[in-house]
Amino acid sequence: MRRVSGMRQNRMLAAGLAVVTAAAVLGDSAVLAGKEARPVTGQEVTVVALVVHPRTHQPVVVLEGRRDRRRVALVIGPAEATGIAVPLHNITPPRPLTHDLLLTVFGRLNVSVRRAIITDLRNDVYYATLVLVANGTEMELDARPSDAIALVLRAKVPLLVEDRVFDKAEKLTPAPAPDEPGQPPSSI
């Protein structure tokens, strides 16, 4: 067995703890550490609206591609909407929310968020990957898109959507425009 220095062992433990913490908070079932990053066939997006759907009263986050202005709308829960609304509106809560705490833990363990990618839409469920860097190694975590969005907004890193997600979403229903005439959505 190879002996590891105390400082190096602490760094390895910290990186491992960060991955485990992220997995627990994000509901990750598969952490892909040390693998080469797969090519992204998408584009960076901006959160253009966080609204309440007028008919279902469910929160909806609307993302718009920077390259082609295509939009995709994701229905999320009320807690997830709060997690996104706080950084979106530059609100500082009196106590840290879960995503704030997670970024604090990452920072103390020298782990950084590099980007998040919404990777797929299957059976009306969106999938995302959160890309972290620890000790110079990129790690990919399976994440709920709402958690990934909340984290990248706080970390001020890119959010991407793969082109196939835009294509699949367009086949379901068109993304609502925040300024759609006739029925203005309620902003969160």
Side-chain angles (χ1 to χ4, degrees), residues 41-45 63 72 117-118 159-163 165-166:
T41 58
Q43 62 181 297
E44 192 169 341
V45 296
L63 308 175
V72 62
I117 309 157
I118 299 178
L159 173 62
L160 296 100
V161 174
E162 290 195 4
D163 288 329
V165 175
F166 283 111

Side-chain angles (χ1 to χ4, degrees), residues 2-3 19-20 28 54 58 64 96 99 109 138 177 180 183:
R2 199 174 103 191
R3 187 163 205 137
V19 171
V20 170
D28 178 31
Q58 286 287 345
E64 181 178 83
H99 300 100
L109 299 175
E138 247 187 30
E180 193 172 319
Q183 286 194 344

Side-chain angles (χ1 to χ4, degrees), residues 82-97 100-101 104 154 156:
T82 300
I84 292 170
V86 166
L88 191 62
H89 297 296
N90 297 314
I91 298 168
T92 303
R95 301 290 301 140
L97 299 179
D100 302 313
L101 175 62
T104 300
R154 285 169 171 80
K156 296 178 178 25

Side-chain angles (χ1 to χ4, degrees), residues 5-109:
S5 74
M7 186 179 257
R8 185 163 182 226
Q9 187 176 15
N10 285 344
R11 281 193 307 244
M12 290 170 51
L13 180 61
L17 179 60
V19 171
V20 170
T21 302
V25 171
L26 299 173
D28 178 31
S29 59
V31 176
L32 309 170
K35 293 198 174 190
E36 259 186 58
R38 62 180 164 207
V40 177
T41 58
Q43 62 181 297
E44 192 169 341
V45 296
T46 304
V47 177
V48 293
L50 184 57
V51 298
V52 174
H53 192 280
R55 192 179 71 250
T56 65
H57 303 288
Q58 286 287 345
V60 177
V61 61
V62 182
L63 308 175
E64 181 178 83
R66 289 191 175 182
R67 182 183 67 224
D68 62 14
R69 303 287 183 228
R70 286 198 290 175
R71 289 185 173 186
V72 62
L74 292 79
V75 176
I76 58 177
E80 291 79 4
T82 300
I84 292 170
V86 166
L88 191 62
H89 297 296
N90 297 314
I91 298 168
T92 303
R95 301 290 301 140
L97 299 179
T98 304
H99 300 100
D100 302 313
L101 175 62
L102 186 56
L103 281 181
T104 300
V105 170
F106 283 169
R108 298 255 172 104
L109 299 175

